[in-house]
Amino acid sequence: MSIKLAIAPIAWTNDDLPELGKENTFEQCISEMALAGFTGTEIGNKYPKDPEVLKSYLAPRGLSVASAWFSALLTTKPYEETKEAFIKHRDFLHAMGAKVIVVSEQGHSIQGQMDTPVFKEKPIFSEEDWKLLTTGLEKLGEVAAEKDMKIVYHHHMGTGVQTTAEIDRLMKETDPNKVSLLFDTGHLVFSGENPIEVYRAHKDRIFHIHFKDIREAKMAEVKQNESSFLTGVKEGVFTVPGDGMIDFAPIWEEIEKDQYSGWIVVEAEQDPAKANPFIYAQNARNYIRDITKL
């Protein structure tokens, strides 16, 4: 597959904060993605749910589906409930030609809570939670494999798998043939982790990458004010690569050295009224071209 570049629709319309970008249409979003020079997209809440209809919009613009987010509830709900929803999600992505399924455990998550401090109230999994998570993920990995697909686990702010230690434990306690990893630069730096160390430790398990940048001053405000994850998003803690504090050149060196093959997805959930998504998409594409030659 080599490397392909995609961009997430959350810069145009935010799934967790629908008021951000409610004025932006699906057609505008995908047209501007293509115009900015990307060949892939993840899935947003305005995208058609019928694979053939979605293809009819994406194909003329030269876009493919890289993946889409799936919320697992393995630590708080019976496994069968997650499995049922996962199969529907898997089959949709398979019909769209995707090879990986982004999975994040949302049991005990605070990422969607507007008034809960993302650092102070970060959930910590119990031993029972860890057992439910690891065994459940392996089962989902087996279900994905039925369609020759992989699950890639999304470590995420405000969840039980956020820190380096938690990522390490998840990888150690799951079968590499069943559970892979999504590498997200923005969530690692926001959490206080070293992205290069995480990449080096788990490069053999990484099959999907999110390039996301952080505005350092806004991150400091989130910590100082004990803000929630969503408040941080609204205030602009995230931005596109090249616009924040992260130097992507050494990260790219690791990715290139490892001969990574798969999608790199630009992400930056921002308020599009403050950060024009097309302009930022163009800026991100130019920055990535400069450091990677892709």
Side-chain angles (χ1 to χ4, degrees):
M1 181 180 181
S2 68
I3 294 176
K4 297 182 180 181
L5 293 178
I7 190 166
I10 52 176
W12 284 264
T13 303
N14 193 294
D15 289 356
D16 296 322
L17 295 163
E19 67 270 23
L20 299 186
K22 62 181 183 295
E23 70 280 6
N24 294 329
T25 66
F26 159 68
E27 291 90 340
Q28 174 191 344
C29 173
I30 59 172
S31 295
E32 292 183 350
M33 288 176 171
L35 192 59
F38 293 91
T39 60
T41 176
E42 291 193 345
I43 302 293
N45 59 11
K46 292 182 179 178
Y47 283 44
K49 304 300 188 290
D50 183 296
E52 294 309 312
V53 173
L54 182 53
K55 287 176 185 177
S56 74
Y57 282 98
L58 297 183
R61 294 167 171 84
L63 293 173
S64 302
V65 170
S67 188
W69 171 283
F70 176 78
S71 294
L73 295 168
L74 297 166
T75 60
T76 55
K77 299 283 187 179
Y79 168 75
E80 292 302 324
E81 288 188 28
T82 292
K83 178 184 177 182
E84 181 179 357
F86 179 79
I87 289 174
K88 184 178 180 180
H89 187 76
R90 175 203 67 179
D91 290 350
F92 171 76
L93 285 178
H94 183 262
M96 294 305 303
K99 298 298 183 183
V100 299
I101 306 167
V102 175
V103 175
S104 182
E105 174 58 26
Q106 291 300 293
H108 308 293
S109 171
I110 62 168
Q111 73 181 65
Q113 299 175 12
M114 183 59 74
D115 299 320
T116 305
V118 67
F119 286 99
K120 187 178 179 181
E121 301 295 332
K122 182 203 170 303
I124 304 296
F125 285 155
S126 67
E127 291 301 313
E128 177 61 20
D129 290 332
W130 276 107
K131 186 66 175 176
L132 289 168
L133 177 63
T134 56
T135 57
L137 286 175
E138 289 186 341
K139 290 177 184 176
L140 293 181
E142 292 171 356
V143 174
E146 294 172 0
K147 297 284 190 177
D148 196 28
M149 301 174 76
K150 293 179 180 290
I151 64 168
V152 286
Y153 191 87
H154 193 336
H155 56 90
H156 200 285
M157 293 294 296
T159 74
V161 183
Q162 170 185 308
T163 67
T164 299
E166 290 161 346
I167 295 168
D168 290 347
R169 178 168 182 176
L170 183 67
M171 294 295 95
K172 181 179 179 182
E173 296 184 9
T174 53
D175 185 339
N177 294 314
K178 299 176 181 178
V179 180
S180 300
L181 184 66
L182 182 155
F183 173 75
D184 188 301
T185 57
H187 283 275
L188 289 171
V189 172
F190 196 178
S191 178
E193 319 305 317
N194 183 320
I196 290 179
E197 288 182 1
V198 173
Y199 188 89
R200 287 173 177 167
H202 304 296
K203 60 185 180 181
D204 293 339
R205 304 280 289 273
I206 293 169
F207 285 89
H208 204 56
I209 292 174
H210 283 175
F211 269 11
K212 179 187 295 187
D213 213 338
I214 295 287
R215 293 186 175 94
E216 190 169 13
K218 295 296 183 181
M219 179 176 67
E221 288 178 13
V222 170
K223 294 178 180 178
Q224 180 178 347
N225 298 335
E226 296 187 352
S227 299
S228 67
F229 175 76
L230 292 182
T231 297
V233 168
K234 292 183 77 171
E235 292 300 317
V237 70
F238 291 121
T239 186
V240 297
D243 188 53
M245 66 183 286
I246 301 175
D247 182 359
F248 283 82
I251 296 172
W252 169 250
E253 288 178 10
E254 294 296 325
I255 292 169
E256 188 177 36
K257 182 169 62 177
D258 185 48
Q259 296 184 314
Y260 169 80
S261 177
W263 287 98
I264 294 178
V265 184
V266 168
E267 265 201 330
E269 51 261 65
Q270 304 187 78
D271 183 347
K274 299 177 182 177
N276 183 295
F278 176 55
I279 300 300
Y280 275 78
Q282 283 186 313
N283 292 345
R285 184 66 188 91
N286 291 337
Y287 174 77
I288 291 172
R289 185 179 292 111
D290 288 343
I291 66 166
T292 69
K293 310 308 176 189
L294 291 175

